[in-house]
Amino acid sequence: MLKQFFASLNVAKRCRAYRIGLWQCPHFLFILMGFFIIVSILMTHFVAERYTSPEVEISIVCIVTIVLLVISHAVINSFERVARTSQLKSEFISIISHELRNPLSSIKWQVDLLNGAKQGIGDAERKSITIIAEQNERMIRMINDLLDVSRIEDRAFGLSPEVFSLSDLTTQVLGKYEGFAKASNLKLIFNRPKSDFKVKADEIQFRAVISRFVDNAIRYSAASGEIILTIEDLGERVRWSIADQGVGIPAQDVQHIFSKFFRASNALRYQTEGLGIGLYVTKNIIELSGGSIGFNTIEGRGSTFYFILPKQK
Amino acid sequence: MADAPSEKKRILVVEDDAALSMALSVKLKEAGFEVFIASDGETGFRMAEEKRPDLILLDLILPRKNGFKFMEEARSKIDLKNLPVVVLTNLESSYDIERALTLGATAYLVKANYSLSEVAKKIIQIFAK
């Protein structure tokens, strides 16, 4: 605690970390201003004791005020610089999102056309096309995740809510993961409820949410086993959950699992891929949609992740 | 002799990336639509007035007239103001989405997140409403 406090006083180090000069760094300027105020009060006291002339006192007050104005101006400039940098970052990300995703969209759609071709493509070529499609989707997902993090931080995360069936969406996503699960000796079991639950949320974002949960469950599962998906009626709300028999999450990592760029210590042993932002983005999407997220886990036995959303009547 | 009335719905695609507009055109024709393509905003606007499509698929970042300007101007034209405009872009900030919807976009689709079949399905849904 004390160590952290003293570390926070190392202004030069903090300013270096933000990659700004000392005279543009708000931390340093505030400390300088505080120090100057203390010194000027003490000096005014001593000078006022010795010289009783009002002209001297007025001059001192004027000098102190001018110096404070200069420092305040520097502080405001430094904040403006931070705001400008933030604005440039947002614009840069907006351009990057467009420029990087356009060629990926083009690949995606050309692959769609190839997949739609009924003649002239053999089995071997179809396998290659599938790999291109999967890798392209992986790249799109990574760019989307990074953009999502940036938008969450800028509070510019745009959701387009619409009414959709959670069961249908889950079935659609599972269809895409059947091959991957089979290749991993895993069985995907979906306990589809008898009645259909509609929710109002951003369907595209929730497709990404469910995909991410299924993808994680497969990647962090043992050599074989079951992954069970369940949708339960909670009255006014609906609970979606996915239970795996995988590696689980170590106790010391549980509190950090939804943190940005965090990857559990045992996750790194099983999967080298991944940016460690999937669950951070997922949590934000669910909470921005009026829902909540949670999980239960036992290391070495598996995890159950769930989210709860209000039902659409 | 007057032309026989066409039952095919007519879609104008305003997209500057030729590979994307070509893929869209193939898929939408397959889905039974008649497709026109414009590669910049001004040509797109002119074609919208001349061809009177049933729906416009509009990119936002376009040469010579961007998608926002396109929608702003379309709103002031009696012939175009009720025409459904589906924005198809890779911009995705809440600011861009809100602005497009405020300007009257019927739907806002992010290209990277939609397959060609899903775009076609969305258009069919819009016509079905």
Side-chain angles (χ1 to χ4, degrees), chain A residues 11-112:
Chain A
V11 175
K13 193 179 168 189
R14 290 177 79 174
C15 297
R16 266 200 310 276
Y18 293 132
R19 292 177 190 162
I20 46 177
L22 214 54
W23 292 99
Q24 293 166 326
C25 180
H27 293 97
F28 172 72
L29 293 170
F30 269 119
I31 288 177
L32 183 72
M33 198 153 75
F35 179 74
F36 184 78
I37 289 170
I38 293 167
V39 170
S40 57
I41 287 170
L42 288 173
M43 279 184 65
T44 311
H45 173 71
F46 289 123
V47 170
E49 266 190 345
R50 188 164 293 187
Y51 306 99
T52 48
S53 150
E55 287 83 2
V56 173
E57 285 174 18
I58 287 167
S59 305
I60 291 169
V61 170
C62 283
I63 291 166
V64 168
T65 310
I66 288 166
V67 174
L68 282 177
L69 274 174
V70 170
I71 298 176
S72 306
H73 181 70
V75 171
I76 288 165
N77 269 349
S78 70
F79 276 122
E80 258 181 19
R81 195 182 145 90
V82 172
R84 218 167 26 241
T85 309
S86 168
Q87 190 190 356
L88 281 174
K89 190 191 90 181
S90 299
E91 283 169 10
F92 173 75
I93 283 162
S94 181
I95 292 165
I96 286 291
S97 79
H98 190 264
E99 296 308 314
L100 281 182
R101 292 199 298 186
N102 253 6
L104 295 174
S105 308
S106 192
I107 295 170
K108 183 182 175 113
W109 289 0
Q110 297 300 329
V111 167
D112 279 354

Side-chain angles (χ1 to χ4, degrees), chain A residues 203-257:
Chain A
E203 190 175 358
I204 293 291
Q205 290 295 347
F206 268 83
R207 184 184 299 171
V209 163
I210 294 174
S211 299
R212 213 171 270 135
F213 278 133
V214 177
D215 198 85
N216 280 351
I218 296 174
R219 283 181 198 281
Y220 298 113
S221 272
S224 63
E226 291 177 343
I227 293 169
I228 301 168
L229 293 95
T230 310
I231 297 182
E232 292 164 88
D233 187 0
L234 301 182
E236 295 286 301
R237 293 167 305 152
V238 59
R239 183 184 191 267
W240 184 100
S241 65
I242 181 165
D244 65 51
Q245 298 165 341
V247 297
I249 300 159
Q252 76 269 16
D253 293 339
V254 163
Q255 59 172 326
H256 304 295
I257 208 71

Side-chain angles (χ1 to χ4, degrees), chain B residues 23-52:
Chain B
L24 275 169
S25 167
V26 171
K27 189 70 193 180
L28 294 174
K29 281 178 183 166
E30 241 178 58
F33 296 110
E34 191 177 345
V35 183
F36 308 103
I37 292 173
S39 57
D40 66 77
E42 265 180 30
T43 311
F45 201 84
R46 205 175 53 243
M47 283 176 78
E49 288 180 303
E50 286 169 13
K51 305 276 184 190
R52 302 288 172 86

